[in-house]
Amino acid sequence: MRRIVVVGASAAGLAAVETLRRGGFEGALTLVGDEPRAPYDRPPLSKQLLASEWESDRLTLRAPADLAALGLEQRLGVAASGLRPDDRVVELADGCELPYDGLIVATGVRPRRLPGEGAHVLRTLDDALALRERLVPGVRLVIVGAGFLGAEAAAVARRLGAHVTLLEPAPVPLAHAVGAEVGEVLTRAHLDQGVDLRCGVSVAEVTGDGVRLADGEVVDADEVLVAVGSVPNTEWLEGSGLTLGDGVVCDEYCAAAENVYAAGDVARWHNPLFGVPMRIEHRTNAAEQGMAAARNLLAPQARTPFAPVPYFWSDQYDMKVQAYGYLRGHDEVAVVEGDLAERRFLAAYRTGDRLTGALAVGMPPRAIRSWRQAIATGTPWTEALGAAPAPSGN
């Protein structure tokens, strides 16, 4: 290969270009990004940056000199607008065309929005800075969506003195992902901190005065944050022949077509460790998948399936949430250490007859690390529980 294009100046895209150079690729390498900034870290946007504990310069993933050392052509501030695989050309929104021999798609996701104008979203650095400016003591903030992003923003806003109303359509926030019992524990933390959490409500639109619920009630607010999930950025690939379906559909090697790979939030690939297709929107996965896609693109005769144990973390108030594995679609949750009531526990997750996930709240990192290996080796459920310490309560 003489020319490789990586579309997406993201954590996944950065990991890909660095891996390509480390792997010995000496040809032309182009990194395309729709934002004008070099790759930066997104998890702190809803945590340290929103709380004004960090400034934006701390989010930059690599110093300019380190990027320059990679010998990249950086096309920042211009989005990809089309792909012609037969011609091996990426089309850019400014009319330019980039020929390639190999392509890695790492275009990430964008926030879902609600009808109406004036609501904040939280995906980019500019989004976070705009919301941070409005989080003054006494401001009335409505957050639509009590997933991890909405919950983290709620925790920061309360700490800054905002009056927070958190609206969630599900009966228990995050129950689909972590189970009802664990979801209720996380819910109680928000209630104890004075958040007005309302579950089982749907928001019809954002208004000039706040939000209007599906039943017609208006919830007043000075500011509104919409955190109701995301949409993969695949529109530019329509008509390209690539299979699209809640992301770029890939095989176990992260390949979407000949010499075309995908990585990060936009990639839906078959994870052979769990035997299911998945699309993971977590920072660790983005970096790992960017590296895996680059290695497989460089060495097609020695490709390795990408079969990670996904990892994510969340900071809410004084709680540190950590999880390994694939928790969605689980059949059973068992508290194997600690106590739910004390918000200090470790829970294991069963899918079928095997251990597929573990989640810890308020526990030291070492408490959950051994569970990662058990998940990676497909440990049977009964064996995993037999090796766990007896919980002190439930």
Side-chain angles (χ1 to χ4, degrees):
M1 289 188 185
R2 295 179 301 157
R3 301 166 300 189
I4 296 179
V5 174
V6 177
V7 183
S10 56
L14 176 63
V17 295
E18 290 183 328
T19 302
L20 289 168
R21 288 304 194 209
R22 285 197 301 268
F25 179 69
E26 298 179 349
L29 184 55
T30 303
L31 180 65
V32 178
D34 61 349
E35 291 186 67
R37 296 181 173 87
Y40 62 88
D41 214 10
R42 295 188 191 275
L45 295 179
S46 59
K47 306 178 183 71
Q48 295 93 337
L49 187 96
L50 192 61
S52 296
E53 297 169 354
W54 290 7
E55 292 305 323
S56 56
D57 57 350
R58 288 194 62 175
L59 274 63
T60 303
L61 288 171
R62 296 293 182 272
D66 293 332
L67 286 177
L70 294 172
L72 301 174
E73 178 190 8
Q74 296 183 61
R75 299 296 302 271
L76 302 179
V78 57
S81 59
L83 175 66
R84 304 200 308 269
D86 291 343
D87 300 328
R88 294 194 174 183
V89 166
V90 173
E91 301 171 348
L92 301 184
D94 63 3
C96 292
E97 295 185 345
L98 299 177
Y100 68 85
D101 300 309
L103 171 66
I104 295 177
V105 178
T107 45
V109 298
R110 64 184 183 280
R112 293 186 184 276
R113 296 180 182 267
L114 294 174
E117 301 293 333
H120 295 270
V121 292
L122 192 48
R123 173 66 184 177
T124 68
L125 178 58
D126 288 341
D127 293 337
L129 292 175
L131 178 58
R132 185 174 83 171
E133 183 180 350
R134 309 301 298 174
L135 291 182
V136 296
V139 70
R140 298 173 301 167
L141 174 67
V142 164
I143 300 176
V144 185
F148 283 111
L149 181 64
E152 289 173 357
V156 169
R158 282 299 297 138
R159 195 161 72 244
L160 295 175
H163 300 293
V164 178
T165 301
L166 188 55
L167 306 177
E168 168 60 39
V172 178
L174 292 167
H176 66 289
V178 300
E181 283 187 308
V182 175
E184 287 172 357
V185 171
L186 302 179
T187 295
R188 176 54 57 185
H190 292 287
L191 296 174
D192 289 351
Q193 293 292 331
V195 172
D196 180 7
L197 175 61
R198 307 183 193 181
C199 296
V201 298
S202 296
V203 175
E205 64 175 340
V206 178
T207 72
D209 301 316
V211 299
R212 187 183 307 278
L213 304 184
D215 63 5
E217 179 188 353
V218 173
V219 180
D220 293 331
D222 302 309
E223 305 292 334
V224 175
L225 170 62
V226 175
V228 292
S230 58
V231 181
N233 290 320
T234 59
E235 286 75 13
W236 68 284
L237 295 169
E238 292 176 359
S240 68
L242 269 61
T243 302
L244 307 176
D246 187 33
V248 178
V249 178
C250 305
D251 62 14
E252 66 268 32
Y253 303 103
C254 305
E258 183 180 3
N259 292 330
V260 178
Y261 289 75
D265 298 359
V266 76
R268 173 168 288 279
W269 91 104
H270 181 81
N271 187 333
L273 179 60
F274 298 91
V276 297
M278 57 179 65
R279 186 174 65 80
I280 303 294
E281 295 183 23
H282 298 307
R283 173 66 173 81
T284 303
N285 185 77
E288 292 178 349
Q289 196 164 26
M291 291 187 286
R295 287 192 294 263
N296 287 339
L297 174 62
L298 276 184
Q301 305 307 316
R303 296 192 304 176
T304 302
F306 182 56
V309 176
Y311 169 76
F312 74 85
W313 76 95
S314 178
D315 294 319
Q316 301 174 35
Y317 308 111
D318 59 348
M319 295 187 304
K320 180 79 170 183
V321 182
Q322 304 172 80
Y324 283 107
Y326 193 63
L327 278 55
R328 292 178 181 272
H330 60 264
D331 297 316
E332 182 182 353
V333 183
V335 176
V336 296
E337 187 174 352
D339 191 330
L340 288 173
E342 296 178 359
R343 294 178 201 153
R344 187 180 181 279
F345 63 90
L346 191 149
Y349 292 75
R350 175 182 66 83
T351 304
D353 61 358
R354 61 172 283 195
L355 173 74
T356 52
L359 179 145
V361 173
M363 303 287 283
R366 66 178 181 276
I368 195 172
R369 283 181 189 142
S370 63
W371 290 83
R372 180 192 181 281
Q373 182 61 24
I375 296 166
T377 55
T379 302
W381 177 248
T382 53
E383 180 181 331
L385 288 193
S392 59
N394 54 25

